[in-house]
Amino acid sequence: MTAPRTIGVALLGLGNVGGGVVKLLEDNAAAIEARLGARLEVRAIAVRDPDKLDRVVAVDRALLTTDVDAAIRRPDVDIVCELMGGTTLAKDAVLAAIAAKRHVVTANKALLAEHWGEVFGAAERAGVDVYYEAAVCGGVPIIRVLREGLASDRVESIIGIVNGTSNYILSTMTESRRPFADILAEAQALGYAEADPTLDVGGGDAAHKLAILVNLCFGTTIDVAAIPKDGIDVVDPIDLAYAEKFGYVIKPLVIAREHGEPGTGPIEARVHPALVPSNWLLADVSGAKNAVYVQSYALGPSMYYGAGAGMLPTAMSVVSDMIEIARNMFARAGSQVARPRPTRVRPMVPVGDLRSPYYLRFGVHDQPGVLGQLMTILGAHAVSIAQVVQDGAPARRDSDTPVWVVVLTHSAREGDVRAALGEIDALPIVREPARVIRIAT
Ligand code: HSE
């Protein structure tokens, strides 16, 4: 019997995901070998501190090195797996691996979202693969679905929940009706949220993932910094209660769709919490789970759901990418298979021209004529009202406590809504700036 072929792997980084990769390669070694007809073997692991003791998995100390370049250039390494994160050292490492003609697997959404052209241009010139399933929605194989499963289809729109931390916090707020700050502090104490949660709860992480999804769906790179985004901190428990009364839940969404001519028209892309009708499948995606709802020309609607983070789910995507690359190597298909299609530049729909229905919550003095003033200004800016409620009354007539007037609008232009709110917020009857949350359609 001949010995099975072996593919050599260098891991750059041995944190949670790197540890998961080592564990999965060990736990599923027999199944992987049976499927691939080859073994995947870790030959080097680049780490910052080889003496660190509290690793998530035990590894052979001889594999550890602080020399990233040496790990990449080992002659017995075929695939470099970048799990360092960040866009400086990680970018250098990925470009060095490509230059050394190593195939690359990365989970680094920021690197790909911000340097897509540079990374894939270098990979194309070097004739190597760059795979990145773990960069978007962790263990949910959405990249493979868009690149392979729907390769013959045309995506019209996607609506996704792609940040587990935000989804966990909003889901817990919905269940408990407690404020954002309390739930965030609890999530941090439990290790569910980062010490600096800005990227997750502010929408930056979701924008990186959306930029990658847009590229796959619509064949264009977009400037990730130009994606309009609102964080989930705009949501108060009272908004969750009103949403429920109107038949909605509030979810942290990414939305992208093409406008105009299929294949060439401008692209709408945005990241924000939104009211989602409670009978939508996405309304049931709770806790830290992720999901992407895809509307495509031939298949129609389809949804992909699962764990968007976590050691083994994310490691699963990374190791599956290694298996794909190894298959390409054996088939001599090389980068022909994985190379993304050439990207065009398609304009983004300007923020002011984005349209959706809106949930607006106004804190006003309870006085005659207040509703009239609000409605007149909204109407003057072509914002049409679908429903209005005014709930309760302040404890005393002269109280400073605002009463809430909640308005659901028909579909309106963002620019018109903002202009109307600019006028309304300046009225003497207004106690606090309007709360604005979009409604998903
Ligand atoms: N921090 C991300 C999340 C996972 O909360 O979904 C990695 O992208």
Side-chain angles (χ1 to χ4, degrees):
M1 206 172 93
T2 53
R5 289 182 284 190
T6 304
I7 299 292
V9 174
L11 296 185
L12 311 182
L14 188 59
N16 205 33
V17 178
V21 168
V22 171
K23 179 170 165 53
L24 194 62
L25 285 173
E26 283 169 13
D27 291 355
N28 282 359
I32 291 169
E33 188 175 330
R35 281 185 197 133
L36 181 60
R39 272 205 293 260
L40 293 171
E41 196 171 289
V42 176
R43 299 260 161 80
I45 308 177
V47 291
R48 252 198 305 257
D49 176 11
D51 298 321
K52 185 176 166 187
L53 293 175
D54 57 337
R55 302 230 175 250
V56 293
V57 285
V59 292
D60 179 354
R61 180 77 174 67
L63 293 172
L64 300 182
T65 173
T66 55
D67 189 340
V68 171
D69 222 44
I72 289 170
R73 289 176 185 283
R74 280 179 66 115
D76 58 356
V77 161
D78 305 286
I79 300 174
V80 171
C81 183
E82 184 274 308
L83 301 168
M84 303 152 74
T87 52
T88 49
L89 293 180
K91 181 180 166 206
D92 293 345
V94 163
L95 292 176
I98 291 171
K101 296 204 181 297
R102 305 295 188 263
H103 301 289
V104 171
V105 177
T106 178
N108 193 327
K109 70 223 73 159
L111 172 66
L112 295 180
E114 290 169 21
H115 303 286
W116 181 276
E118 192 175 350
V119 169
F120 285 102
E124 181 146 8
R125 286 190 294 279
V128 298
D129 286 334
V130 175
Y131 272 65
Y132 51 95
E133 184 64 72
V136 182
C137 297
V140 184
I142 185 65
I143 302 297
R144 202 151 273 126
V145 163
L146 293 171
R147 208 182 54 203
E148 294 167 24
L150 299 180
S152 66
D153 209 341
R154 176 168 56 75
V155 174
E156 294 164 341
S157 65
I158 50 169
I159 305 183
I161 295 172
V162 301
N163 185 267
T165 307
S166 297
N167 199 28
Y168 170 83
I169 292 173
L170 271 183
S171 302
T172 311
M173 284 175 68
T174 304
E175 282 158 23
S176 66
R177 292 289 149 78
R178 288 163 53 225
F180 168 78
D182 289 10
I183 308 292
L184 172 61
E186 246 171 51
Q188 285 173 313
L190 292 167
Y192 297 158
E194 304 282 343
D196 177 2
T198 324
L199 207 55
D200 285 322
V201 301
D205 172 82
H208 284 139
K209 292 167 180 166
L210 181 60
I212 295 171
L213 292 174
V214 162
N215 207 317
L216 286 166
C217 292
F218 305 118
T220 187
T221 41
I222 54 173
D223 176 6
V224 72
I227 298 176
K229 50 183 190 295
D230 280 347
I232 58 166
D233 54 347
V234 302
V235 181
D236 277 347
I238 192 164
D239 300 310
L240 297 160
Y242 278 120
E244 189 181 300
K245 273 192 201 171
F246 287 116
Y248 295 92
V249 292
I250 302 183
K251 291 288 172 193
L253 298 189
V254 297
I255 298 173
R257 52 174 69 96
E258 65 176 352
H259 289 235
E261 264 313 291
T264 55
I267 300 298
E268 166 183 345
R270 41 171 140 168
V271 176
H272 53 69
L275 277 73
V276 170
S278 39
N279 61 357
W280 280 20
L281 287 175
L282 281 172
D284 290 326
V285 176
S286 294
K289 288 288 194 291
N290 283 194
V292 181
Y293 180 92
V294 180
Q295 178 71 39
S296 58
Y297 164 72
L299 177 60
S302 57
M303 192 166 108
Y304 309 91
Y305 166 89
M311 179 171 117
L312 282 179
T314 310
M316 185 281 293
S317 285
V318 170
V319 175
S320 293
D321 277 353
M322 292 178 189
I323 292 172
E324 258 337 278
I325 289 175
R327 284 180 176 147
N328 293 346
M329 289 167 62
F330 296 149
R332 298 184 193 281
S335 62
Q336 300 305 316
V337 174
R339 196 179 294 159
R341 57 186 159 165
T343 55
R344 288 180 292 285
V345 175
R346 295 175 67 174
M348 286 176 76
V349 177
V351 178
D353 288 340
L354 293 173
R355 294 189 72 91
S356 71
Y358 284 78
Y359 162 100
L360 308 172
R361 174 166 59 83
F362 300 101
V364 293
H365 289 297
D366 193 9
Q367 288 172 2
V370 166
L371 266 186
Q373 290 184 57
L374 299 181
M375 301 308 127
T376 301
I377 293 175
L378 288 168
H381 288 277
V383 180
S384 171
I385 312 303
Q387 297 188 62
V388 185
V389 291
Q390 179 183 320
D391 242 4
R396 297 189 321 272
R397 207 68 198 140
D398 61 348
S399 165
D400 259 358
T401 316
V403 288
W404 304 124
V405 173
V406 176
V407 173
L408 302 194
T409 76
H410 290 298
S411 183
R413 261 188 85 247
E414 172 97 11
D416 293 336
V417 172
R418 294 288 167 192
L421 296 182
E423 280 181 39
I424 290 173
D425 285 346
L427 292 174
I429 48 128
V430 168
R431 297 293 311 153
E432 60 176 68
R435 195 58 62 101
V436 185
I437 308 176
R438 294 163 192 83
I439 302 175
T441 52

